[in-house]
Amino acid sequence: MPRVIDHDERRRQIIAVARQLMEEGGFAAATMRGIASAAGFANGALKHYFDGKDAIVLETFESVLTEMTEQTPPIREGVDPREELRSFLAATMPLNKHAIAGARVLLALWEHAQTNDVLLERYLKHMSMWKAELGKRLTAVLGEIPADDLQALIDETVTMSIGANVAALLMPEEQIIARYTRYVDDFMDRIEQLAPSPA
Amino acid sequence: MPRVIDHDERRRQIIAVARQLMEEGGFAAATMRGIASAAGFANGALKHYFDGKDAIVLETFESVLTEMTEQTPPIREGVDPREELRSFLAATMPLNKHAIAGARVLLALWEHAQTNDVLLERYLKHMSMWKAELGKRLTAVLGEIPADDLQALIDETVTMSIGANVAALLMPEEQIIARYTRYVDDFMDRIEQLAPSPA
């Protein structure tokens, strides 16, 4: 039987390996040689699937952004809006091993977005979607509040999420999880104080 | 008259050039060739002053951390403690062109600290000092509050500062300045509500 090579499957496999190497050792760890070796390819064989390291890097970032988008589903009807807000916020914080590992990729993404307009645009598009969903959840709890007050709450939590992801790379895991769980709790308390009293 | 070469002065000059290149174009822009050219050295002449790019990079980060430490002076007696807190907080946010440019260097520093223990330790030492000074300023306004509440406020502002510095690289300057000026204002309002009423 002839050996069938599924080109797209191979590409996905290479990206998964690149991402894992980046999650384990940061951007510098994802060398072409290392990716080829970990994916079981001969050195140089990656060229059949990607034009070069830049193409692999961009596709790796794309896979992370796609996953992040999947983790921010549209707000659900019939669910306690406070719970919808809390779980959304918690999902953007480095509160488990998987999210902390992902922070290494995010840091590399931000570094590259500075000099790659396509990547920057892609990231800002993700961020717009993220902010819009956050805004819906805040409004579901708070009712209509002045637009700039809503924007300030959105900006704060987005910035906290970015900062927490960087901090997650520099500090011990248990400190990070405790610290940002506390932040989510405190933020929800503040929201509770801003929310209209039940009628 | 013999030409006198001040070795330390030359080193400082090289670091200043490396830092400027990084502030303008991110880490990738600070190549050995680019630094040599911008500093007016023949290509290869940097070797007389630094062992290689890693040594230049580490010294550049050191110069940034030293400057950041200088910008966080001990709390002053006889000054309104609210003003001491606000100005300290504002100094850690990307609220002007110089600070926004500096964020490019910080991002490269965080990236490198993941895989360089000496740099990580140096950064964490800076962060400890920063948090201690922030704690003194919060206590000067709030009086003694439970240690974990104080810690949560410190962690939040440090994380916001890190996140704001990343955001500063991805979004237009005027948005960044407006957004984080608003955050500082809102944070001070929250502190005001926590502070004991004047007797």
Side-chain angles (χ1 to χ4, degrees), chain A residues 160-174:
Chain A
M160 280 297 292
S161 165
I162 294 174
N165 275 286
V166 174
L169 305 177
L170 307 174
M171 269 164 280
E173 186 179 305
E174 58 284 12

Side-chain angles (χ1 to χ4, degrees), chain B residues 7-193:
Chain B
H7 193 264
D8 287 346
E9 176 54 31
R10 283 287 169 93
R11 283 173 59 96
R12 276 192 294 274
Q13 182 193 352
I14 292 165
I15 294 306
V17 166
R19 183 170 168 180
Q20 197 185 342
L21 291 176
M22 242 187 255
E23 288 183 355
E24 286 166 5
F27 184 73
T31 61
M32 288 294 268
R33 186 183 290 268
I35 297 167
S37 163
F41 285 80
N43 199 17
L46 296 188
K47 289 199 195 95
H48 299 299
Y49 301 97
F50 291 98
D51 281 343
K53 180 159 175 182
D54 279 359
I56 295 183
V57 164
L58 287 179
E59 193 79 18
T60 303
F61 293 150
E62 182 59 43
S63 89
V64 171
L65 289 170
T66 301
E67 187 182 296
M68 284 164 67
T69 302
E70 286 165 3
Q71 284 167 356
T72 50
I75 187 166
R76 291 170 296 179
E77 298 282 336
V79 175
D80 176 6
R82 285 164 174 77
E83 188 41 45
E84 282 288 273
L85 175 59
R86 171 188 283 277
S87 62
F88 187 89
L89 194 55
T92 69
M93 293 283 168
L95 299 183
N96 58 59
K97 266 184 204 303
H98 180 68
I100 292 171
R104 290 192 198 284
V105 185
L106 281 177
L107 188 64
L109 189 160
W110 296 322
E111 171 84 32
H112 283 74
Q114 288 179 80
T115 50
N116 184 316
D117 288 344
V118 174
L119 182 59
L120 177 59
E121 202 175 316
R122 179 66 183 85
Y123 182 70
L124 293 179
K125 197 177 144 197
H126 165 76
M127 204 182 243
S128 292
M129 184 278 298
W130 174 13
K131 288 177 171 182
E133 284 299 329
L134 194 51
K136 285 181 203 162
R137 283 159 174 79
L138 284 162
T139 304
V141 176
L142 296 174
E144 294 293 333
I145 63 171
D148 61 335
D149 292 347
L150 181 64
Q151 193 57 49
L153 290 170
I154 293 170
D155 289 341
E156 179 195 320
T157 49
V158 167
T159 307
M160 280 297 293
S161 165
I162 293 173
N165 275 286
V166 174
L169 305 178
L170 307 173
M171 269 163 281
E173 186 178 305
E174 59 285 13
Q175 271 183 38
I176 290 296
I177 295 174
R179 170 190 293 197
Y180 297 112
T181 300
R182 166 83 196 235
Y183 172 75
V184 172
D185 289 345
D186 286 355
F187 184 82
M188 292 304 299
D189 284 350
R190 270 199 277 148
I191 292 297
E192 207 54 59
Q193 286 174 15

